[in-house]
């Protein structure tokens, strides 16, 4: 047994959707969350920069004595997961592997669409993972760079978001995909709108729950599950900027009481 | 006479519109430009963070032996200009003062609109500057957080940008402003569209040219004008991420040959 916390990080608030699934599936585990709000977004930055940022965050989380780390950001997963696994001697998992597994289980016609940031799509991480598991699968990626700003402006059910989504999804419709991976942690927040455009017959895959399941399997496998009944909601949240704004959004997303969010200087790590 | 270069910085490419006016008005001056592309955008980050970032950049520019610095970013100007002037012993000017002066000269009904990022609008920098020069002026600020991502996606003449601009500008129309300051260096790129929405009778003020004039006055005043005829286009460009992408955009904006863009680690300063 290992009572140490789980580290989870993202460029901002998006990864809280993953943290929430972890808290729900593994209620005895403590979570240490870091959101890199001073340097958000990650989606249009280079691999070199994303690796540097991820390295600083992993060092911070290790200093907080976490027993495992979840990269709850598709871009950081795409660009930095392998490098982090090589550099650090601690279990580190991402969201893309679970997302790819779910897509393979969900598709019937073997035509899978991936939507994400420029970085995630350019990395072809989902294509590589899916094709390594199912060589018959056809994978079509589409970068949707305006979704994050539109979601952050709260235009979740807006005609403008609908118009932009319609443009982005056009090619995936033409390819007749029956499954789309929401390859960015912001996108579940506009799932209803995306489903309306694609039609009810298309599966929209959100990797968050499957990621929590992967983490659970890892902890069981390594005998690291925390069986002590902790104080509930005993999670800690850190950001690199604007703690109050983060706390406001986090309360809405997590929908339960939480500790005050603390701001740290991530460049020092 | 002082042959050292002028430092100019912005969160990304936007400040190149200011650099271009400086190169044109002061053709003998060399420019050292820094774009903080690893941490862009600045518009929705805190004053604390913007001061920290600006301090690192000013240290970098001073190491490059510049004789004066232009903060070619409205958010950094709003949040960090005064702090930089206090900390560093070098002339530092911004874009807001020239923008405010131009607005006062342009308005006839003393109703002035300011559009900019969340940070620039929340700081009320333009209101304070304008009202200190003209107590009769009424200033109406409106944050336009989606303009930067829309411009960066190249949707300069798009129906979606038109729809969003129409929403943002509605209150300024209702207030019957006759002058609007483009309080973000990205906005001149959608000036045509903004003019169409507001009508030809409304003045759209771009502070870039006036900023170059302010810089010239400062150099003359301090006897720091470079009278040597330099090699033309002998300017240097640095970024914190994705030098190639920056170079591509910079060539379009500046429209003349330029030195290769160099990537540096700004967090080291």
């Amino acid at each position: 047994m290992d009572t140490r916390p789980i580290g989870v990080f993202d460029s901002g608030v998006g990864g809280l959707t993953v943290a929430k699934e972890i808290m729900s599936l593994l209620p005895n585990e403590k979570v240490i969350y870091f959101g890199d709000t001073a340097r958000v977004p990650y989606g249009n930055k280079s691999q070199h920069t994303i690796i540097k940022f991820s390295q600083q965050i992993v060092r911070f989380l290790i200093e907080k004595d976490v027993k495992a780390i979840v990269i709850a950001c598709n871009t950081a997963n795409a660009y930095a997961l392998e490098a982090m696994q090589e550099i650090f001697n601690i279990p580190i998992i991402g969201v893309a592997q679970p997302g790819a597994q779910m897509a393979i289980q969900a598709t019937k016609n073997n035509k899978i669409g991936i939507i994400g940031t420029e970085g995630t799509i350019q990395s072809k991480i989902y294509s590589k993972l899916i094709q390594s598991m199912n060589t018959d699968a056809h994978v079509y990626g589409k970068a949707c760079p305006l979704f994050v700003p539109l979601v952050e402006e709260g235009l979740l059910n807006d005609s403008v978001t609908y118009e932009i989504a319609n443009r982005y999804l056009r090619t995936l419709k033409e390819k007749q995909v029956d499954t789309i991976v929401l390859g960015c942690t912001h996108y579940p927040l506009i799932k209803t709108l995306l489903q309306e455009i694609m039609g009810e017959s298309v599966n929209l895959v959100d990797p968050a729950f499957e990621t929590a399941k992967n983490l659970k399997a890892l902890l069981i496998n390594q005998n690291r599950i925390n069986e002590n009944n902790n104080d509930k909601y005993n999670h800690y949240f850190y950001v690199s900027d604007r703690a109050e704004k983060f706390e406001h959004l986090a309360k809405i997303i997590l929908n339960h009481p939480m500790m005050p969010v603390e701001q740290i200087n991530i460049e020092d790590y």
Side-chain angles (χ1 to χ4, degrees), chain A residues 54-181:
Chain A
S54 299
Q55 218 171 329
Q56 291 169 333
I57 298 167
V58 171
R59 276 193 215 109
F60 166 74
L61 291 171
I62 288 174
E63 203 186 275
K64 292 284 168 195
D65 200 24
V66 298
K67 61 184 169 187
I69 291 174
V70 179
I71 303 187
C73 166
N74 281 272
T75 311
N77 183 162
Y79 279 155
L81 177 62
E82 279 182 28
M84 295 308 108
Q85 287 170 333
E86 271 169 36
I87 299 168
F88 298 101
N89 185 23
I90 183 174
I92 304 180
I93 65 167
V95 285
Q97 174 77 34
Q101 282 168 341
M102 282 178 80
I104 288 171
Q105 284 160 21
T107 187
K108 285 180 184 142
N109 70 1
N110 277 336
K111 292 180 179 176
I112 299 169
I114 313 292
I115 56 176
T117 64
E118 268 183 69
T120 300
I121 298 305
Q122 274 172 22
S123 76
K124 295 193 188 300
I125 183 169
Y126 279 100
S127 312
K128 289 174 198 161
L129 287 167
I130 288 170
Q131 275 159 352
S132 73
M133 293 185 268
N134 177 353
T135 50
D136 291 336
H138 297 274
V139 182
Y140 307 96
K142 178 69 188 165
C144 304
L146 283 167
F147 279 170
V148 170
L150 287 166
V151 165
E152 290 192 351
E153 283 312 300
L155 302 185
L156 306 181
N157 248 314
D158 193 279
S159 62
V160 161
T161 309
Y162 192 91
E163 163 65 18
I164 291 287
N166 225 347
R167 296 185 197 177
Y168 285 152
L169 297 178
R170 195 168 299 149
T171 52
L172 298 182
K173 264 188 166 170
E174 283 165 12
K175 298 290 180 192
Q176 299 183 296
V177 301
D178 72 349
T179 301
I180 294 181
V181 178

Side-chain angles (χ1 to χ4, degrees), chain A residues 16 29-31 35 40 44-46 57 101 106 110 143-144 164 166 184 187 206 222 230-231 236 238 243 245 250 264:
Chain A
L16 287 170
E29 301 294 338
K30 282 175 293 204
V31 168
V40 69
N44 51 4
K45 287 161 192 173
S46 72
I57 298 167
Q101 282 168 341
N110 277 336
C144 304
I164 291 287
N166 225 347
C184 171
Y187 299 177
D206 171 7
Q222 300 197 351
N230 277 303
D231 298 341
Y236 290 84
Y238 299 87
K245 188 185 175 191
I264 60 140

